[in-house]
Amino acid sequence: MHRTERGTGAGSDAAAGRALAEELLDGCAAAAPPPGAGPDVWLAFAEQVRSRTHGGRRPPVPAPPALRLCHPSGWIREAALAEPDAPVELVAVLTTDRAAPVRDRARTLMERTLRTRPEATLRAVTPLALRLGRRHRGDWILERFEEALLRQAAAAPPWWHLPGPPTASGGTAAPGGATAPGGATASGGTTAHVLAGLLDGPDRQARQFAVRLALTGPGRADALECARQAAAEPDPATAALWTDAALAAPGSEADAVIDVLTGARIPAVRAAGVTALRRAGRAAEGARYLADGSGLVRACARWLVGQDGGDAHGHYRWLVRDPAGPSPYAVAGLAECGREEDTDLLRGLVAHPVGPVRAAALAGLRRREAVVEDSVLLALLDDPAPSVAREASLALLPVVRRLDPSYLAERLDVRGPLHVRRAAFRLLRARGGIHALRAAVALIDDWHPRTRATARAAVYACPWHPARFDGEADRAELAALLKRSAKLFDDYGLGLRRSRLGLTS
C-alpha cells in the first residue's frame, strides 16, 4: 500500500465550505456540504452561515435544516435538532455550542447516533471530532469517540488483521479468511472496519488518532507491518508513530523490517532504519547511506560508520573523487565533516560541469565560512543552474554592501532567466534603501506569481519617508516610483504616502 495525501488542503476546504453556505443562503437547496465532505468544509460552512445571518442576511423560507442548525438564535438551533434529516456533522458541531440547552440536546442525539449507527458515524465524524476537541467544551465529543472505538477494542482482532474489502457474496473477510454472517467480522468487525478506514483516510489528524488507538489495542504490534506503514505514510508525524512502534516491537532487528525502513521516503524514517543497522549487526552497511539526499540520514550514517571503526571522512573524499562524477549529496556530506583540509577540494568543485555539484560545493563553502572571491560569486549569478545562482546569492549576502547595485539591477529584466532575476532581487532587497525600492517597483508586474507577490509586499512595506533615502534619491524620483506603484494602494494609503513625500496635488 502506498498512501498519498488526498484532499485539497484546509484552506481550499474552508473556502469550499463558505461558498456552499453562500449558495444555500441564496436558496440553492442542494448546496449543503455533501456526505464525505472534509471537517474543514463543515466548520467553515457552519461559521459562515452563523456570521452571515447574524449580520442581517435573511435565510430562505422555509430554511433547510442545515441553515437552522447554524442559526444565531439558540432556540432555532435547538428546535432544528429534532429534524430527522439533521446532518450528523452539524450535530457534532453543536455538541460544543455555547448555549447549554443546545449543547445538551446535541450531545444526547450524538450518543444515540453512536449507539444505533456506530460505524457510519465514527467513519464520517471522527476527523471533525478531532478538530472540535480543541475547542472550549470540545473534550466531551473527543472522549465519546475515543470510548466508542475502544469499547469493542478488547474483542477486536489485532490491528494487523484488519478486515479487507467485502467478498463477492457480500460478506467481509474475517481474520484467517473466515467470513462472518451478515457481512460482519466474527468479533470487533465494526471497530476494525472504522480503524482501517481511518488509517488509510485522507485526514492527517484522523490517521494519527487511529494509529495511537491501533497500537494501544489488543495483541502485539507486528514489526514488519508497522515498518511498511511507516514507509507508506506521507505525514512525518504519523510516520514517526509507526517507526517507533516498529522498532519497539519484537522482531524489529529482522532484515526485512530494517530494509523497509531504510527504503522509506521520509528522511526521519530512513534515519531510524540506518541507526537500527547497528543493533542488527549490520553496521558495515552504513557507508551505503553516506551520500543520502537527507542531511539527517547522512549524519546517522557517519555515526554508524564511526561505530564500526570506519572513516566516513575518507570515504567522502573517495566519493568526491569518483571518476564517474561525484554525487551532490556526497559533496554536501564532505562539507558536513567540517575538515579544513577539504576547503580547496570544495573550491575546485565550484567549476564542476554538473550544476547540482557546483551548488553543493558553494553551499559547503558557505557552511564552512570559507572565503570565495566576489567576482567568482557574481559570475555564478548568471549560472544556468537555478540552484547555483541561489547559492551564489546566499554567499554574497554578508558582503552585499560592497557590491555594485547597477550590476545587480541589470539582471532584473523580465526577459532574462527567472532564477537570475530572483537572485539579484534577493541581494538588492538585502541591501535596502532606494536600490531595494527600485528593484521592487520594477517587479510588481512580474509574470512569476511569487516574485510579483514579494515585490509588491516590499513596495507596500516601504515607509516612503524622504529621510529614509537621504543622499540616495531625491523627492522627484520617489514621487515617480510611487506613481508607478499607485495601483497597489487604496485612496487613503496612496494619499498618506503622497503626504509623506510632500505631494499635495
Side-chain angles (χ1 to χ4, degrees):
M1 176 186 62
H2 293 281
R3 186 183 298 113
T4 57
E5 287 286 4
R6 296 180 288 278
T8 54
S12 54
D13 280 357
R18 289 190 290 269
L20 288 171
E22 291 294 336
E23 292 180 21
L24 197 59
L25 287 168
D26 288 338
C28 179
D40 296 302
V41 174
W42 285 103
L43 291 174
F45 173 85
E47 179 61 30
Q48 184 74 2
V49 171
R50 185 172 299 191
S51 63
R52 294 287 281 163
T53 51
H54 185 74
R57 178 77 174 270
R58 296 181 64 85
V61 179
L67 284 185
R68 285 182 281 127
L69 287 167
C70 304
H71 197 277
S73 171
W75 289 289
I76 295 178
R77 295 197 302 276
E78 184 181 5
L81 286 170
E83 295 285 345
D85 54 350
V88 67
E89 291 87 354
L90 293 179
V91 175
V93 172
L94 293 181
T95 62
T96 65
D97 198 273
R98 65 178 182 273
V102 178
R103 188 169 64 247
D104 293 343
R105 187 163 188 172
R107 290 177 176 181
T108 301
L109 181 58
M110 180 58 66
E111 285 188 327
R112 183 166 66 247
T113 305
L114 281 172
R115 286 195 305 270
T116 58
R117 294 184 294 131
E119 181 174 354
T121 304
L122 290 168
R123 190 186 298 274
V125 187
T126 296
L128 178 60
L130 293 171
R131 301 312 197 270
L132 295 171
R134 298 197 297 262
R135 288 185 172 184
H136 183 50
R137 311 182 191 90
D139 53 342
W140 181 90
I141 189 168
L142 192 59
E143 291 173 0
R144 291 300 180 277
F145 271 68
E146 187 168 350
E147 289 171 1
L149 283 168
L150 291 177
R151 197 158 32 230
Q152 302 177 48
W159 66 266
W160 61 89
H161 287 156
L162 291 175
T167 63
S169 61
T172 303
T179 303
T185 55
S187 67
T190 295
T191 301
H193 269 301
V194 174
L195 273 178
L198 294 176
L199 288 170
D200 196 38
D203 189 77
R204 175 181 56 84
Q205 296 180 41
R207 288 203 305 275
Q208 291 183 18
F209 179 71
V211 170
R212 292 189 177 95
L213 285 180
L215 294 177
T216 57
R220 297 184 304 173
D222 180 76
L224 181 57
E225 184 60 26
C226 285
R228 289 170 178 163
Q229 294 280 355
E233 174 58 51
D235 175 55
T238 310
L241 296 174
W242 287 121
T243 304
D244 292 344
L247 294 176
S252 61
E253 299 175 3
D255 290 346
V257 174
I258 296 178
D259 290 343
V260 170
L261 293 176
T262 54
R265 182 180 62 88
I266 294 179
V269 179
R270 292 202 307 277
V274 170
T275 304
L277 286 171
R278 181 170 183 262
R279 187 174 61 178
R282 299 168 57 185
E285 300 178 27
R288 292 171 46 191
Y289 305 96
L290 287 174
D292 190 272
S294 165
L296 175 62
V297 178
R298 291 195 298 269
C300 292
R302 288 194 294 272
W303 171 84
L304 185 62
V305 170
Q307 292 293 309
D308 194 45
D311 180 14
H313 175 255
H315 195 81
Y316 275 126
R317 291 184 67 89
W318 178 80
L319 289 173
V320 168
R321 291 192 172 101
D322 186 355
S327 160
Y329 303 121
V331 176
L334 179 66
E336 289 163 357
C337 289
R339 301 283 186 90
E340 188 68 32
E341 61 199 80
D342 299 326
T343 302
D344 290 338
L345 182 55
L346 291 172
R347 282 200 179 99
L349 291 171
V350 171
H352 195 275
V354 178
V357 174
R358 294 196 300 276
L362 281 174
L365 290 169
R366 181 165 58 87
R367 179 189 184 95
R368 297 191 45 72
E369 299 182 352
V371 177
V372 182
E373 294 289 339
D374 291 356
S375 59
V376 174
L377 294 173
L378 286 170
L380 290 173
L381 291 178
D382 297 319
D383 195 280
S387 58
V388 177
R390 179 180 182 276
E391 288 297 336
S393 67
L394 294 175
L396 285 168
L397 285 177
V399 298
V400 69
R401 301 295 299 180
R402 70 186 185 213
L403 302 180
D404 180 7
S406 62
Y407 180 89
L408 301 174
E410 292 172 359
R411 280 145 183 80
L412 297 176
D413 192 336
V414 294
R415 293 168 295 184
L418 172 64
H419 65 275
V420 175
R421 188 161 66 254
R422 288 179 61 83
F425 187 31
R426 181 182 295 113
L427 291 168
L428 287 169
R429 282 189 293 128
R431 183 183 179 94
I434 191 63
H435 305 292
L437 182 59
R438 290 169 183 161
V441 172
L443 297 177
I444 58 174
D445 292 318
D446 193 274
W447 63 265
H448 185 250
R450 187 173 176 182
T451 302
R452 182 172 65 246
T454 303
R456 293 187 174 194
V459 171
Y460 197 83
C462 176
W464 295 94
H465 281 296
R468 295 289 185 92
F469 306 98
D470 188 29
E472 291 186 319
D474 55 23
R475 197 181 301 268
E477 181 183 5
L478 291 173
L481 291 172
L482 181 60
K483 183 178 180 180
R484 288 175 58 189
S485 56
K487 64 181 179 181
L488 304 182
F489 309 105
D490 56 20
D491 292 341
Y492 173 79
L494 182 61
L496 179 63
R497 287 161 177 81
R498 286 177 57 84
S499 66
R500 289 174 180 172
L501 295 177
L503 304 174
T504 56
S505 60

